[in-house]
Amino acid sequence: QVQLQESGPGLVKPSQTLSLTCTVSGGSITISYYYWNWIRQPPGKGLEWMGAIGYSGSTRYSPSLKSRTSISRDTSKNQFTLQLSSVTPEDTAVYYCTREDRSLRLLDAWGQGTLVIVSS
């Protein structure tokens, strides 16, 4: 059974770059059935899809975050990474990495989430 685990700093200063890594176990990120997504949830708000990376390394991003977001991967470590630049306190959120079944369009595996606070 696949497991996802987010890691990274819990506190980032405004204007800096937030960087999180998702380590995947129990399944390869290069399998063609899946996309690998980043989703966040600010306090008191709903879920926001940020972007995804596919089995081939192709990426897609939320239009509202595209200018600040980069998703990459390290296939040797079975990890994918989120970078969000020029953060503000509005980027404070719980960040989740997830697996998406391409055929079903279903998020079928989630990490536990990690809280990132943007504050000076």
Side-chain angles (χ1 to χ4, degrees):
Q1 183 170 347
V2 69
Q3 293 185 320
L4 294 81
Q5 178 67 58
E6 304 89 351
S7 60
L11 179 64
V12 182
K13 296 185 184 302
S15 80
Q16 292 187 342
T17 296
L18 178 161
S19 183
L20 296 174
T21 296
C22 183
T23 300
V24 179
S25 59
S28 172
I29 63 172
T30 60
I31 293 177
S32 62
Y33 300 141
Y34 304 111
Y35 292 128
W36 304 89
N37 295 260
W38 285 99
I39 291 172
R40 69 180 182 179
Q41 185 170 29
K45 297 184 179 181
L47 295 170
E48 178 184 21
W49 178 77
M50 301 182 69
I53 188 165
Y55 66 95
S56 65
S58 61
T59 53
R60 50 193 175 100
Y61 300 107
S62 166
S64 64
L65 295 171
K66 185 175 183 178
S67 64
R68 300 195 292 130
T69 306
S70 178
I71 298 175
S72 59
R73 66 178 187 170
D74 185 336
T75 57
S76 68
K77 296 180 180 179
N78 216 37
Q79 296 175 333
F80 62 106
T81 299
L82 169 73
Q83 290 192 311
L84 181 67
S85 64
S86 304
V87 298
T88 72
E90 286 66 41
D91 293 309
T92 293
V94 177
Y95 287 76
Y96 299 93
C97 57
T98 73
R99 186 180 75 173
E100 176 188 351
D101 184 301
R102 293 175 62 203
S103 297
L104 299 178
R105 304 295 299 274
L106 176 69
L107 299 175
D108 64 357
W110 292 67
Q112 65 183 20
T114 186
L115 174 63
V116 179
I117 296 173
V118 179
S119 175
S120 56

